[in-house]
Amino acid sequence: MKNGDLNMDQNQTPLYDALHTFKERKLDSFHVPGHKHGRVFPQKAQKDFQSILQLDVTEITGMDDLHAPEGIIERSEALASAYFGSNRTHFLINGTTAGNLAMILAVCSPGDRVLVQRNSHKSIMHGLELAGAKPVFLAPKFEADTGRYSGIDAVVVERALNSYPDVKAVILTHPDYFGRAFDLTKIVKTAHSKDVPVLVDEAHGVHFHLGSPFPAPALEQGADVVVQSAHKMAPAMTMASLLHIRSDLVDQENLQHFLQVVQSSSPSYPLMASLDLARHFLATLSKEKMQSVMERIVDIRECLTVSKFWKVNPITPNDDPLKITLEAKEGKTGFQLAGALESAGIYPELATTKQVLLILGLGDVIDVKKLVQQVKHANDQLKISPMHDTINDSVTFPELQELKLSYMEMKEKQATFVEWDEAVGSVAAKAVVPYPPGIPLILKGEEITPFHIEHVKALLHQGATFQNNRIHKGISTFL
């Protein structure tokens, strides 16, 4: 279905409406799933799950098929396509991870060279590995005002394209986890001048399509394929994401094929319905409600400034105002701040050595009076917590970096677990991934340096969590 085939009234929610109507008919189920509209379910959890289970159907008559949509799913995806401004939008029920994997597999064959932003999510790295691609990693630029490596400079991309004329794609992350965006337009124009598509993991930017005061979304800046986590910043259920394509450089049929490869053949209808509703929410959000959200952000930020243990980082035009970053002051760590906030009932999104990220929603849901007391409690906790020496954990990246071993070469090698003090000079057989945010500190196939080891030990000392077994002892390597 093309966008013009449907009256694009964004008040419509065809997928949700069909599920609701089906539920009201109270029909007997002679099909999967086994909970039979919630009638077969543990009694202790039935009250919590009942309403959603009644919407949890399968591809029976009238419910359409995610992998070959011709009815309510097709109409819902077309509404999303019209709102986001894509040629085609696909619903994802295996998270942005599935979209990242599919877009990489769609443009890369084994041995193809691609340019990749170094501070990308692990799902991007997994996509490269599955495709057997040969990545050239691009160093993000360091930003003094945030103390982080964030976006990519167009000049770096241009130099890389000139150095590697056989590149098949440029893969970027926009915005970063903390909501800092960067100018994609120049990068896209440079890549397109060489007929190279730009693929963007925009997990944290689905709401950028609301316009000011949010940064410009990747699709608006000319990106070819964009994947967004609707569940992160819009009111969709966890694992509900979107993939948009607007490109003549990416084969849409090939992309659809790989979406079937990486996604379940039994998609969740509640997840898809939540995407239908999240799009509706964004498309119909009034200026008055948005103004109320922005006013409440000002109040929340003001409450959070009352501390001698952290500062609230300022917002620039490149920042998402729904993200608030607390910067630990001398003698405290981000992990300590997060622990104190949690003891007060404030659960942050993530903590790093020096920072804590708080994420707000597109609604006026925070009780500011309660927040004042919670901040006071957190400050009281930090008064009695131990002081920490400042640890310099700034990550440094070469401007252009290739893996020491290719993914194909690593398949042929046997990994050996070694203690950290013996790992210098060997090649990592597994990525080392602090989580959150899920950005690899050490890439699979990267040579391990003394800096890597020092950084890992510093993070462990401060209480960081990793998605690695036995990380306290060492790492699997190719010697």
Side-chain angles (χ1 to χ4, degrees):
M1 176 180 288
K2 295 180 180 178
N3 292 348
D5 295 337
L6 181 68
N7 175 21
M8 293 297 154
D9 176 5
Q10 293 294 333
N11 285 294
Q12 296 181 74
T13 52
L15 179 50
Y16 166 72
D17 291 348
L19 292 177
H20 179 75
T21 299
F22 184 81
K23 179 192 76 170
E24 293 300 305
R25 294 176 66 189
K26 301 185 184 304
L27 301 173
D28 290 324
S29 168
F30 289 87
H31 53 79
V32 299
H35 58 68
K36 303 300 180 183
H37 306 310
R39 297 171 188 169
V40 181
F41 208 70
Q43 185 65 37
K44 66 182 294 184
Q46 199 156 30
K47 182 178 179 181
D48 287 331
F49 279 82
Q50 185 62 34
S51 60
I52 201 69
L53 291 176
Q54 292 179 74
L55 302 178
D56 186 27
V57 299
T58 189
E59 294 96 333
I60 55 177
T61 301
M63 289 298 136
D64 209 359
D65 181 347
L66 175 65
H67 299 299
E70 296 179 327
I72 54 175
I73 296 174
E74 183 184 35
R75 291 197 295 275
S76 295
E77 289 184 333
L79 281 160
S81 176
Y83 173 70
F84 290 102
S86 69
N87 291 343
R88 176 74 190 270
T89 291
H90 295 273
F91 285 178
L92 306 176
I93 46 77
N94 289 72
T96 290
T97 290
N100 286 342
L101 298 179
M103 72 179 180
I104 292 171
L105 290 167
V107 301
C108 293
S109 297
D112 281 349
R113 199 183 305 275
V114 292
L115 303 182
V116 186
Q117 187 171 332
R118 174 61 178 81
N119 56 329
S120 294
H121 188 261
K122 63 176 185 171
S123 60
I124 294 292
M125 310 306 172
H126 293 161
L128 298 172
E129 182 175 357
L130 289 173
K134 294 177 67 176
V136 176
F137 294 101
L138 308 176
K141 57 186 176 182
F142 181 77
E143 297 177 328
D145 61 330
T146 64
R148 298 192 307 271
Y149 289 85
S150 186
I152 296 292
D153 196 308
V155 175
V156 174
V157 176
E158 186 172 14
R159 278 200 289 264
L161 287 169
N162 290 333
S163 298
Y164 299 94
D166 59 343
V167 161
K168 299 295 185 182
V170 177
I171 304 171
L172 303 173
T173 299
H174 171 275
D176 71 3
Y177 209 122
F178 289 79
R180 173 60 63 94
F182 60 98
D183 185 5
L184 289 171
T185 306
K186 292 180 181 178
I187 295 175
V188 171
K189 287 181 178 178
T190 301
H192 284 179
S193 70
K194 299 179 183 296
D195 292 329
V196 175
V198 178
L199 317 180
V200 180
D201 175 354
E202 196 169 47
H204 286 262
V206 68
H207 58 306
F208 285 5
H209 292 267
L210 291 169
S212 181
F214 301 107
L219 207 61
E220 199 174 279
Q221 296 188 66
D224 295 87
V225 183
V226 179
V227 188
Q228 299 169 330
S229 297
H231 63 93
K232 282 187 166 62
M233 302 304 296
M237 292 176 67
T238 298
M239 290 179 66
S241 294
L242 300 160
L243 182 147
H244 312 292
I245 179 170
R246 188 167 69 184
S247 177
D248 295 324
L249 298 174
V250 177
D251 187 317
Q252 292 200 41
E253 290 191 8
N254 205 28
L255 182 59
Q256 286 177 250
H257 165 70
F258 282 108
L259 283 172
Q260 291 194 42
V261 170
V262 300
Q263 294 212 97
S264 172
S265 60
S266 300
S268 164
Y269 277 78
L271 290 185
M272 291 190 288
S274 77
L275 285 168
D276 197 23
L277 292 165
R279 180 272 313 156
H280 166 266
F281 176 89
L282 292 173
T284 61
L285 187 65
S286 68
K287 292 182 179 179
E288 291 76 19
K289 287 184 178 179
M290 194 65 237
Q291 182 61 34
S292 176
V293 170
M294 299 310 298
E295 289 172 357
R296 185 48 55 99
I297 290 172
V298 173
D299 295 338
I300 291 170
R301 289 178 64 88
E302 186 176 339
C303 288
L304 291 167
T305 59
V306 185
S307 177
K308 66 178 183 179
F309 301 107
W310 69 71
K311 69 172 183 176
V312 180
N313 282 358
I315 295 290
T316 75
N318 292 324
D319 289 310
D320 179 357
L322 294 181
K323 304 283 184 77
I324 299 177
T325 302
L326 307 183
E327 187 88 23
K329 291 186 178 179
E330 193 77 18
K332 298 296 179 184
T333 70
F335 302 112
Q336 284 181 295
L337 300 191
L341 291 167
E342 289 177 3
S343 73
I346 300 171
Y347 277 76
E349 172 68 14
L350 67 86
T352 67
T353 296
K354 299 176 182 177
Q355 297 180 335
V356 171
L357 174 62
L358 305 175
I359 298 181
L360 307 179
L362 287 165
D364 187 359
V365 297
I366 301 298
D367 183 338
V368 174
K369 290 182 178 179
K370 179 182 178 182
L371 181 61
V372 170
Q373 296 305 313
Q374 290 172 312
V375 169
K376 182 180 183 303
H377 177 88
N379 277 297
D380 289 342
Q381 290 297 305
L382 288 167
K383 287 177 185 177
I384 59 175
S385 66
M387 300 294 284
H388 274 262
D389 293 333
T390 301
I391 297 176
N392 181 14
D393 69 339
S394 296
V395 184
T396 55
F397 304 102
E399 182 172 282
L400 302 178
Q401 177 190 4
E402 297 185 61
L403 296 177
K404 197 73 173 178
L405 294 174
S406 72
Y407 294 119
M408 303 301 288
E409 288 173 324
M410 285 186 274
K411 282 186 176 181
E412 305 299 320
K413 289 185 173 290
Q414 182 68 39
T416 302
F417 186 85
V418 300
E419 295 183 358
W420 282 113
D421 292 339
E422 301 171 2
V424 174
S426 60
V427 176
K430 289 184 178 181
V432 175
V433 186
Y435 196 88
I439 297 168
L441 168 60
I442 303 175
L443 298 167
K444 181 177 180 178
E446 183 176 18
E447 184 175 340
I448 300 170
T449 67
F451 163 76
H452 286 137
I453 296 172
E454 178 185 347
H455 195 173
V456 170
K457 288 182 177 180
L459 289 172
L460 288 170
H461 175 72
Q462 293 194 354
T465 56
F466 289 78
Q467 290 191 324
N468 298 81
N469 293 328
R470 298 193 288 172
I471 189 69
H472 288 80
K473 294 184 178 180
I475 181 173
S476 292
T477 67
F478 300 115
L479 297 176

